[in-house]
Amino acid sequence: MKRLLYILLILLIPAPMYSQMLFSENLTMNIDSTKTIQGTISPVLDFKTEKENVLTLKNTANLNLLIGRNRVINLINKLEFSTYGKKVTVSGGHVHTEYRYLLDHAFEIYPYAESQWAESRGMAYKISTGLQSRYRLINSKHCLIFAAAGLFFEYEKWENPSPTPLTSKYVDSRRVKSHLSLSFKHRLGESWELTTTAIHQATPDSYFKKARFGGAIDLKYRITPTIGIRGSYRLIYDTHPIVPIRKNYTTIDTGLDISF
């Protein structure tokens, strides 16, 4: 177990994590009915001395606001803020918000909306909104398995990697898609927590031919009840991207988790 902790500490140098999926299922928190506001923040500060001083601040926030006993507003936000000398730029980020309505102890529905920008693969920005549902198939002290299903509208604007005088610099897409996912969360003792998710997204008329698949793995080690280290792996395979780019996309990200 100590060897795994050393590996996570070595990986604390962050890598960019922008993609067509936010894998919000991996960030869904268990609701503590004794707290009105609960959540986590993951700050990362990076400073370099190159031709100019380079300062990068990354912060991921995951907040839950409990309303009564059966309604929750969930906000997931990531912002990357960079300076190069005296020049200030915003490198990228995303915002995801959902209104969780708990119909009973095992089933909930949630309308959601999200936006992403400054996509490293060439996506200028993306906006999506829809209605989804979660059902907890297994819910024990150490193991949680839940499935999610729903429909959403997605608008994407991509930069054309090979524009010509006869083509536009940007290509956009407007589609209604289905979302299916299966998530598994397991507590390994008192300190370790493993979360995995598999996702399938597609339009109703091309369920498998032009589908988008995704997989996510999060491994968290709790140093204290409020401070932990999280390592994340993301894989996306888009069978039919709207611009000529690689179909697969992989990211690895690590950082601190501060809970409250």
Side-chain angles (χ1 to χ4, degrees):
M1 186 170 291
K2 289 184 178 180
R3 185 176 298 175
L4 289 174
L5 178 57
Y6 293 153
I7 293 172
L8 284 176
L9 289 172
I10 291 172
L11 291 173
L12 274 176
I13 300 174
M17 183 181 289
Y18 308 124
S19 62
Q20 292 164 274
M21 294 181 181
L22 295 186
F23 294 96
S24 59
E25 303 298 336
N26 267 46
L27 301 175
T28 300
M29 295 182 293
N30 295 327
I31 298 172
D32 186 347
S33 59
T34 64
K35 296 181 179 179
T36 302
I37 300 178
Q38 56 198 283
T40 62
I41 57 173
S42 303
V44 176
L45 181 64
D46 183 28
F47 178 77
K48 302 176 185 177
T49 55
E50 298 179 351
K51 291 182 178 180
E52 298 282 353
N53 291 335
V54 180
L55 176 66
T56 301
L57 174 63
K58 300 178 183 180
N59 184 66
T60 301
N62 188 1
L63 306 176
N64 267 352
L65 175 62
L66 183 63
I67 303 174
R69 290 183 171 271
N70 60 351
R71 292 174 175 84
V72 178
I73 296 176
N74 182 215
L75 176 65
I76 301 171
N77 168 257
K78 183 171 183 175
L79 179 65
E80 182 176 327
F81 178 82
S82 300
T83 63
Y84 184 81
K86 295 182 179 181
K87 184 179 180 180
V88 178
T89 62
V90 177
S91 301
H94 60 244
V95 176
H96 173 98
T97 183
E98 59 189 40
Y99 181 74
R100 301 172 61 183
Y101 183 54
L102 314 178
L103 296 177
D104 59 35
H105 69 283
F107 182 69
E108 64 180 87
I109 59 173
Y110 59 101
Y112 83 96
E114 69 182 34
S115 176
Q116 295 172 259
W117 58 93
E119 166 62 44
S120 61
R121 299 173 73 198
M123 186 172 70
Y125 62 88
K126 165 189 163 181
I127 299 172
S128 65
T129 183
L131 179 66
Q132 302 196 81
S133 62
R134 294 190 187 101
Y135 183 77
R136 288 183 285 278
L137 303 171
I138 297 176
N139 189 10
S140 64
K141 182 179 179 181
H142 297 286
C143 180
L144 172 64
I145 299 177
F146 61 91
L151 290 173
F152 66 98
F153 171 79
E154 176 184 81
Y155 174 78
E156 293 180 324
K157 186 174 183 178
W158 287 76
E159 184 176 355
N160 191 343
S162 302
T164 68
L166 301 178
T167 60
S168 174
K169 182 180 178 181
Y170 292 97
V171 179
D172 58 12
S173 170
R174 299 173 177 84
R175 299 175 182 175
V176 175
K177 294 185 175 181
S178 62
H179 174 98
L180 298 173
S181 68
L182 183 66
S183 300
F184 170 74
K185 182 177 292 186
H186 184 56
R187 291 187 177 274
L188 308 169
E190 296 297 325
S191 300
W192 294 90
E193 182 178 279
L194 174 69
T195 306
T196 64
T197 297
I199 294 178
H200 172 277
Q201 294 179 348
T203 57
D205 60 342
S206 57
Y207 204 65
F208 291 105
K209 187 178 180 180
K210 298 181 181 180
R212 181 188 300 157
F213 299 93
I217 301 174
D218 283 28
L219 181 62
K220 181 177 179 180
Y221 177 79
R222 295 182 183 275
I223 302 172
T224 71
T226 58
I227 298 176
I229 302 171
R230 180 191 295 269
S232 301
Y233 172 82
R234 303 288 187 262
L235 171 65
I236 296 173
Y237 185 81
D238 196 340
T239 59
H240 192 74
I242 64 174
V243 293
I245 57 173
R246 291 179 59 180
K247 294 183 179 181
N248 62 301
Y249 181 65
T250 303
T251 62
I252 299 175
D253 195 34
T254 56
L256 290 175
D257 263 14
I258 303 173
S259 304
F260 57 89

